[in-house]
Amino acid sequence: EVVLTQSPGTLSVAPGEGATLSCMASHNLKSNLAWYQQKPGQAPRLLIYGASTRATGVPARFSGGGFGTEFTLTISSLQSEDSAVYYCQQYEDWYTFGQGTQLQIK
Amino acid sequence: QVQLQQSGPGLVKPSQSLTITCGISGDSVATNRAAWHWIRQSPSRGLEWLGRTGFRSQWFHDYAVSLKSRLTITVDTPKNQISLRLNSVTPEDTAVYYCVRGPGPYEYGMSFDLWGQGTLVTVSS
């Protein structure tokens, strides 16, 4: 099973600043990685797929990068509405998720 | 606009079976462009993929190895819906269960792009 390890566990950032979230994979995923945003009481929302392609309607300040075993999600010009838990997910070998990064906007 | 509407019980007793239904509007359950998945989320296990179904000249069903002996996903084409049935539940099966649109066996590069609202199921006597 592919294990995804996300860091940090929690991140607190001021509005207007940027944040970078990390996702490390135990196996080579090529570009088969997605990122999701989940707010309390809601289902996860797809942000990024193919490691770097934004899903429909996702603002340009969300960007994904990486290949193989190391991936990042970068959010620039943070807004209060970006407060959420962010998950990475791989679909190279069936489907597994990381444990999540809690992003707090100060 | 495709939507997934879930329905199911909130409380199930240990050793009983859990059934959740997902109605699909705006698309056909037999589409050959996607598959229909079940994913659950709990504080202890996080997000966990359970299984999928879809149609590619015939119906296919794939299950997570850890649940294969207890899980069945069925399709009702006239009602355009899928169902999840999980047998012999324990408190460990307490979770929010999601119906999700995602890839079938030939949709390389596709992820989970549409989620139902989720159904909280508590297993308790």
PDB file of all heavy atoms in Angstrom, chain A residues 14-40:
ATOM      1  N   ALA A  14      -0.601  34.168   8.700  1.00  0.00           N
ATOM      2  CA  ALA A  14      -1.347  35.422   8.685  1.00  0.00           C
ATOM      3  C   ALA A  14      -1.996  35.650   7.319  1.00  0.00           C
ATOM      4  O   ALA A  14      -1.460  35.204   6.291  1.00  0.00           O
ATOM      5  CB  ALA A  14      -0.423  36.587   9.023  1.00  0.00           C
ATOM      6  N   PRO A  15      -3.116  36.346   7.298  1.00  0.00           N
ATOM      7  CA  PRO A  15      -3.748  36.669   6.010  1.00  0.00           C
ATOM      8  C   PRO A  15      -2.786  37.432   5.119  1.00  0.00           C
ATOM      9  O   PRO A  15      -1.992  38.266   5.581  1.00  0.00           O
ATOM     10  CB  PRO A  15      -4.939  37.545   6.415  1.00  0.00           C
ATOM     11  CG  PRO A  15      -5.220  37.202   7.826  1.00  0.00           C
ATOM     12  CD  PRO A  15      -3.896  36.856   8.443  1.00  0.00           C
ATOM     13  N   GLY A  16      -2.844  37.120   3.830  1.00  0.00           N
ATOM     14  CA  GLY A  16      -1.983  37.786   2.863  1.00  0.00           C
ATOM     15  C   GLY A  16      -0.650  37.099   2.641  1.00  0.00           C
ATOM     16  O   GLY A  16       0.007  37.331   1.620  1.00  0.00           O
ATOM     17  N   GLU A  17      -0.244  36.271   3.606  1.00  0.00           N
ATOM     18  CA  GLU A  17       1.004  35.531   3.429  1.00  0.00           C
ATOM     19  C   GLU A  17       0.752  34.277   2.603  1.00  0.00           C
ATOM     20  O   GLU A  17      -0.371  33.991   2.197  1.00  0.00           O
ATOM     21  CB  GLU A  17       1.602  35.189   4.794  1.00  0.00           C
ATOM     22  CG  GLU A  17       2.033  36.411   5.592  1.00  0.00           C
ATOM     23  CD  GLU A  17       2.783  36.055   6.851  1.00  0.00           C
ATOM     24  OE1 GLU A  17       2.718  34.870   7.268  1.00  0.00           O
ATOM     25  OE2 GLU A  17       3.418  36.954   7.432  1.00  0.00           O
ATOM     26  N   GLY A  18       1.840  33.525   2.376  1.00  0.00           N
ATOM     27  CA  GLY A  18       1.741  32.291   1.621  1.00  0.00           C
ATOM     28  C   GLY A  18       2.032  31.091   2.501  1.00  0.00           C
ATOM     29  O   GLY A  18       2.597  31.230   3.588  1.00  0.00           O
ATOM     30  N   ALA A  19       1.639  29.910   2.022  1.00  0.00           N
ATOM     31  CA  ALA A  19       1.879  28.677   2.761  1.00  0.00           C
ATOM     32  C   ALA A  19       2.211  27.561   1.785  1.00  0.00           C
ATOM     33  O   ALA A  19       1.656  27.504   0.679  1.00  0.00           O
ATOM     34  CB  ALA A  19       0.646  28.289   3.579  1.00  0.00           C
ATOM     35  N   THR A  20       3.125  26.698   2.212  1.00  0.00           N
ATOM     36  CA  THR A  20       3.483  25.526   1.415  1.00  0.00           C
ATOM     37  C   THR A  20       3.280  24.275   2.243  1.00  0.00           C
ATOM     38  O   THR A  20       3.843  24.151   3.335  1.00  0.00           O
ATOM     39  CB  THR A  20       4.932  25.608   0.923  1.00  0.00           C
ATOM     40  OG1 THR A  20       5.077  26.754   0.078  1.00  0.00           O
ATOM     41  CG2 THR A  20       5.291  24.361   0.138  1.00  0.00           C
ATOM     42  N   LEU A  21       2.472  23.348   1.716  1.00  0.00           N
ATOM     43  CA  LEU A  21       2.178  22.085   2.367  1.00  0.00           C
ATOM     44  C   LEU A  21       2.900  20.982   1.617  1.00  0.00           C
ATOM     45  O   LEU A  21       2.988  21.014   0.383  1.00  0.00           O
ATOM     46  CB  LEU A  21       0.669  21.818   2.355  1.00  0.00           C
ATOM     47  CG  LEU A  21      -0.217  22.627   3.304  1.00  0.00           C
ATOM     48  CD1 LEU A  21      -0.132  24.129   3.048  1.00  0.00           C
ATOM     49  CD2 LEU A  21      -1.657  22.145   3.195  1.00  0.00           C
ATOM     50  N   SER A  22       3.375  19.994   2.357  1.00  0.00           N
ATOM     51  CA  SER A  22       4.173  18.930   1.764  1.00  0.00           C
ATOM     52  C   SER A  22       3.468  17.576   1.853  1.00  0.00           C
ATOM     53  O   SER A  22       2.740  17.304   2.812  1.00  0.00           O
ATOM     54  CB  SER A  22       5.526  18.859   2.466  1.00  0.00           C
ATOM     55  OG  SER A  22       6.269  17.760   2.015  1.00  0.00           O
ATOM     56  N   CYS A  23       3.714  16.733   0.867  1.00  0.00           N
ATOM     57  CA  CYS A  23       3.181  15.374   0.832  1.00  0.00           C
ATOM     58  C   CYS A  23       4.280  14.470   0.274  1.00  0.00           C
ATOM     59  O   CYS A  23       4.750  14.677  -0.850  1.00  0.00           O
ATOM     60  CB  CYS A  23       1.942  15.321  -0.054  1.00  0.00           C
ATOM     61  SG  CYS A  23       1.189  13.683  -0.234  1.00  0.00           S
ATOM     62  N   MET A  24       4.699  13.505   1.080  1.00  0.00           N
ATOM     63  CA  MET A  24       5.738  12.566   0.673  1.00  0.00           C
ATOM     64  C   MET A  24       5.121  11.188   0.504  1.00  0.00           C
ATOM     65  O   MET A  24       4.342  10.734   1.351  1.00  0.00           O
ATOM     66  CB  MET A  24       6.828  12.500   1.749  1.00  0.00           C
ATOM     67  CG  MET A  24       7.468  13.834   2.059  1.00  0.00           C
ATOM     68  SD  MET A  24       8.737  14.265   0.877  1.00  0.00           S
ATOM     69  CE  MET A  24      10.026  13.127   1.379  1.00  0.00           C
ATOM     70  N   ALA A  25       5.500  10.511  -0.591  1.00  0.00           N
ATOM     71  CA  ALA A  25       4.934   9.203  -0.903  1.00  0.00           C
ATOM     72  C   ALA A  25       5.960   8.100  -0.705  1.00  0.00           C
ATOM     73  O   ALA A  25       7.160   8.315  -0.945  1.00  0.00           O
ATOM     74  CB  ALA A  25       4.426   9.193  -2.334  1.00  0.00           C
ATOM     75  N   SER A  26       5.497   6.931  -0.318  1.00  0.00           N
ATOM     76  CA  SER A  26       6.385   5.787  -0.086  1.00  0.00           C
ATOM     77  C   SER A  26       6.776   5.096  -1.380  1.00  0.00           C
ATOM     78  O   SER A  26       7.703   4.269  -1.387  1.00  0.00           O
ATOM     79  CB  SER A  26       5.701   4.785   0.842  1.00  0.00           C
ATOM     80  OG  SER A  26       4.508   4.287   0.250  1.00  0.00           O
ATOM     81  N   HIS A  27       6.067   5.370  -2.468  1.00  0.00           N
ATOM     82  CA  HIS A  27       6.356   4.779  -3.772  1.00  0.00           C
ATOM     83  C   HIS A  27       6.309   5.874  -4.837  1.00  0.00           C
ATOM     84  O   HIS A  27       5.746   6.942  -4.618  1.00  0.00           O
ATOM     85  CB  HIS A  27       5.315   3.700  -4.127  1.00  0.00           C
ATOM     86  CG  HIS A  27       5.294   2.510  -3.226  1.00  0.00           C
ATOM     87  ND1 HIS A  27       4.860   2.570  -1.916  1.00  0.00           N
ATOM     88  CD2 HIS A  27       5.643   1.221  -3.442  1.00  0.00           C
ATOM     89  CE1 HIS A  27       4.955   1.382  -1.372  1.00  0.00           C
ATOM     90  NE2 HIS A  27       5.425   0.530  -2.268  1.00  0.00           N
ATOM     91  N   ASN A  28       6.876   5.581  -5.977  1.00  0.00           N
ATOM     92  CA  ASN A  28       6.863   6.515  -7.096  1.00  0.00           C
ATOM     93  C   ASN A  28       5.437   6.644  -7.649  1.00  0.00           C
ATOM     94  O   ASN A  28       4.871   5.673  -8.139  1.00  0.00           O
ATOM     95  CB  ASN A  28       7.806   6.018  -8.191  1.00  0.00           C
ATOM     96  CG  ASN A  28       7.882   6.975  -9.368  1.00  0.00           C
ATOM     97  OD1 ASN A  28       7.235   8.022  -9.392  1.00  0.00           O
ATOM     98  ND2 ASN A  28       8.678   6.622 -10.358  1.00  0.00           N
ATOM     99  N   LEU A  29       4.885   7.852  -7.563  1.00  0.00           N
ATOM    100  CA  LEU A  29       3.527   8.098  -8.037  1.00  0.00           C
ATOM    101  C   LEU A  29       3.487   8.740  -9.416  1.00  0.00           C
ATOM    102  O   LEU A  29       2.406   9.002  -9.948  1.00  0.00           O
ATOM    103  CB  LEU A  29       2.789   9.020  -7.048  1.00  0.00           C
ATOM    104  CG  LEU A  29       2.725   8.566  -5.597  1.00  0.00           C
ATOM    105  CD1 LEU A  29       1.953   9.597  -4.763  1.00  0.00           C
ATOM    106  CD2 LEU A  29       2.097   7.188  -5.484  1.00  0.00           C
ATOM    107  N   LYS A  30       4.640   9.025  -9.988  1.00  0.00           N
ATOM    108  CA  LYS A  30       4.709   9.840 -11.207  1.00  0.00           C
ATOM    109  C   LYS A  30       3.949  11.136 -10.919  1.00  0.00           C
ATOM    110  O   LYS A  30       4.298  11.836  -9.973  1.00  0.00           O
ATOM    111  CB  LYS A  30       4.158   9.053 -12.386  1.00  0.00           C
ATOM    112  CG  LYS A  30       5.073   7.888 -12.774  1.00  0.00           C
ATOM    113  CD  LYS A  30       4.429   6.951 -13.786  1.00  0.00           C
ATOM    114  CE  LYS A  30       3.857   5.743 -13.065  1.00  0.00           C
ATOM    115  NZ  LYS A  30       3.365   4.695 -13.973  1.00  0.00           N
ATOM    116  N   SER A  31       2.897  11.431 -11.673  1.00  0.00           N
ATOM    117  CA  SER A  31       2.114  12.649 -11.389  1.00  0.00           C
ATOM    118  C   SER A  31       0.715  12.334 -10.865  1.00  0.00           C
ATOM    119  O   SER A  31      -0.166  13.192 -10.868  1.00  0.00           O
ATOM    120  CB  SER A  31       1.987  13.494 -12.664  1.00  0.00           C
ATOM    121  OG  SER A  31       3.227  13.984 -13.076  1.00  0.00           O
ATOM    122  N   ASN A  32       0.521  11.111 -10.414  1.00  0.00           N
ATOM    123  CA  ASN A  32      -0.816  10.679 -10.026  1.00  0.00           C
ATOM    124  C   ASN A  32      -1.147  11.048  -8.588  1.00  0.00           C
ATOM    125  O   ASN A  32      -1.344  10.184  -7.715  1.00  0.00           O
ATOM    126  CB  ASN A  32      -0.965   9.183 -10.272  1.00  0.00           C
ATOM    127  CG  ASN A  32      -0.904   8.852 -11.750  1.00  0.00           C
ATOM    128  OD1 ASN A  32      -1.551   9.507 -12.579  1.00  0.00           O
ATOM    129  ND2 ASN A  32      -0.107   7.853 -12.097  1.00  0.00           N
ATOM    130  N   LEU A  33      -1.211  12.348  -8.350  1.00  0.00           N
ATOM    131  CA  LEU A  33      -1.480  12.861  -7.018  1.00  0.00           C
ATOM    132  C   LEU A  33      -2.462  14.016  -7.094  1.00  0.00           C
ATOM    133  O   LEU A  33      -2.389  14.857  -7.995  1.00  0.00           O
ATOM    134  CB  LEU A  33      -0.197  13.339  -6.336  1.00  0.00           C
ATOM    135  CG  LEU A  33      -0.450  13.741  -4.879  1.00  0.00           C
ATOM    136  CD1 LEU A  33       0.119  12.725  -3.912  1.00  0.00           C
ATOM    137  CD2 LEU A  33       0.036  15.131  -4.582  1.00  0.00           C
ATOM    138  N   ALA A  34      -3.395  14.042  -6.130  1.00  0.00           N
ATOM    139  CA  ALA A  34      -4.398  15.106  -6.054  1.00  0.00           C
ATOM    140  C   ALA A  34      -4.365  15.739  -4.668  1.00  0.00           C
ATOM    141  O   ALA A  34      -3.889  15.139  -3.702  1.00  0.00           O
ATOM    142  CB  ALA A  34      -5.787  14.541  -6.337  1.00  0.00           C
ATOM    143  N   TRP A  35      -4.881  16.963  -4.612  1.00  0.00           N
ATOM    144  CA  TRP A  35      -5.022  17.686  -3.349  1.00  0.00           C
ATOM    145  C   TRP A  35      -6.497  18.059  -3.160  1.00  0.00           C
ATOM    146  O   TRP A  35      -7.184  18.449  -4.114  1.00  0.00           O
ATOM    147  CB  TRP A  35      -4.190  18.967  -3.354  1.00  0.00           C
ATOM    148  CG  TRP A  35      -2.714  18.750  -3.289  1.00  0.00           C
ATOM    149  CD1 TRP A  35      -1.841  18.646  -4.335  1.00  0.00           C
ATOM    150  CD2 TRP A  35      -1.917  18.641  -2.099  1.00  0.00           C
ATOM    151  NE1 TRP A  35      -0.567  18.477  -3.872  1.00  0.00           N
ATOM    152  CE2 TRP A  35      -0.578  18.481  -2.510  1.00  0.00           C
ATOM    153  CE3 TRP A  35      -2.196  18.683  -0.733  1.00  0.00           C
ATOM    154  CZ2 TRP A  35       0.480  18.350  -1.598  1.00  0.00           C
ATOM    155  CZ3 TRP A  35      -1.150  18.553   0.172  1.00  0.00           C
ATOM    156  CH2 TRP A  35       0.162  18.389  -0.257  1.00  0.00           C
ATOM    157  N   TYR A  36      -6.947  17.969  -1.905  1.00  0.00           N
ATOM    158  CA  TYR A  36      -8.322  18.309  -1.552  1.00  0.00           C
ATOM    159  C   TYR A  36      -8.327  19.278  -0.384  1.00  0.00           C
ATOM    160  O   TYR A  36      -7.444  19.246   0.472  1.00  0.00           O
ATOM    161  CB  TYR A  36      -9.115  17.058  -1.155  1.00  0.00           C
ATOM    162  CG  TYR A  36      -9.196  16.022  -2.247  1.00  0.00           C
ATOM    163  CD1 TYR A  36      -8.162  15.116  -2.440  1.00  0.00           C
ATOM    164  CD2 TYR A  36     -10.296  15.955  -3.094  1.00  0.00           C
ATOM    165  CE1 TYR A  36      -8.210  14.180  -3.449  1.00  0.00           C
ATOM    166  CE2 TYR A  36     -10.358  15.017  -4.105  1.00  0.00           C
ATOM    167  CZ  TYR A  36      -9.310  14.128  -4.277  1.00  0.00           C
ATOM    168  OH  TYR A  36      -9.378  13.204  -5.286  1.00  0.00           O
ATOM    169  N   GLN A  37      -9.373  20.087  -0.343  1.00  0.00           N
ATOM    170  CA  GLN A  37      -9.621  20.997   0.765  1.00  0.00           C
ATOM    171  C   GLN A  37     -10.906  20.543   1.461  1.00  0.00           C
ATOM    172  O   GLN A  37     -11.909  20.272   0.799  1.00  0.00           O
ATOM    173  CB  GLN A  37      -9.816  22.418   0.228  1.00  0.00           C
ATOM    174  CG  GLN A  37     -10.185  23.461   1.262  1.00  0.00           C
ATOM    175  CD  GLN A  37     -10.655  24.754   0.593  1.00  0.00           C
ATOM    176  OE1 GLN A  37     -11.693  24.794  -0.069  1.00  0.00           O
ATOM    177  NE2 GLN A  37      -9.887  25.820   0.770  1.00  0.00           N
ATOM    178  N   GLN A  38     -10.870  20.465   2.783  1.00  0.00           N
ATOM    179  CA  GLN A  38     -12.074  20.102   3.524  1.00  0.00           C
ATOM    180  C   GLN A  38     -12.326  21.087   4.654  1.00  0.00           C
ATOM    181  O   GLN A  38     -11.479  21.270   5.531  1.00  0.00           O
ATOM    182  CB  GLN A  38     -11.988  18.677   4.084  1.00  0.00           C
ATOM    183  CG  GLN A  38     -13.295  18.221   4.718  1.00  0.00           C
ATOM    184  CD  GLN A  38     -13.254  16.788   5.204  1.00  0.00           C
ATOM    185  OE1 GLN A  38     -12.217  16.295   5.646  1.00  0.00           O
ATOM    186  NE2 GLN A  38     -14.384  16.098   5.113  1.00  0.00           N
ATOM    187  N   LYS A  39     -13.511  21.676   4.639  1.00  0.00           N
ATOM    188  CA  LYS A  39     -13.946  22.565   5.716  1.00  0.00           C
ATOM    189  C   LYS A  39     -14.896  21.806   6.632  1.00  0.00           C
ATOM    190  O   LYS A  39     -15.495  20.810   6.215  1.00  0.00           O
ATOM    191  CB  LYS A  39     -14.611  23.807   5.124  1.00  0.00           C
ATOM    192  CG  LYS A  39     -13.644  24.634   4.275  1.00  0.00           C
ATOM    193  CD  LYS A  39     -14.291  25.877   3.702  1.00  0.00           C
ATOM    194  CE  LYS A  39     -13.267  26.656   2.886  1.00  0.00           C
ATOM    195  NZ  LYS A  39     -13.844  27.892   2.302  1.00  0.00           N
ATOM    196  N   PRO A  40     -15.021  22.254   7.879  1.00  0.00           N
ATOM    197  CA  PRO A  40     -15.853  21.529   8.853  1.00  0.00           C
ATOM    198  C   PRO A  40     -17.263  21.283   8.343  1.00  0.00           C
ATOM    199  O   PRO A  40     -17.922  22.189   7.807  1.00  0.00           O
ATOM    200  CB  PRO A  40     -15.848  22.459  10.066  1.00  0.00           C
ATOM    201  CG  PRO A  40     -14.570  23.213   9.960  1.00  0.00           C
ATOM    202  CD  PRO A  40     -14.354  23.419   8.491  1.00  0.00           C
TER     203      PRO A  40
END
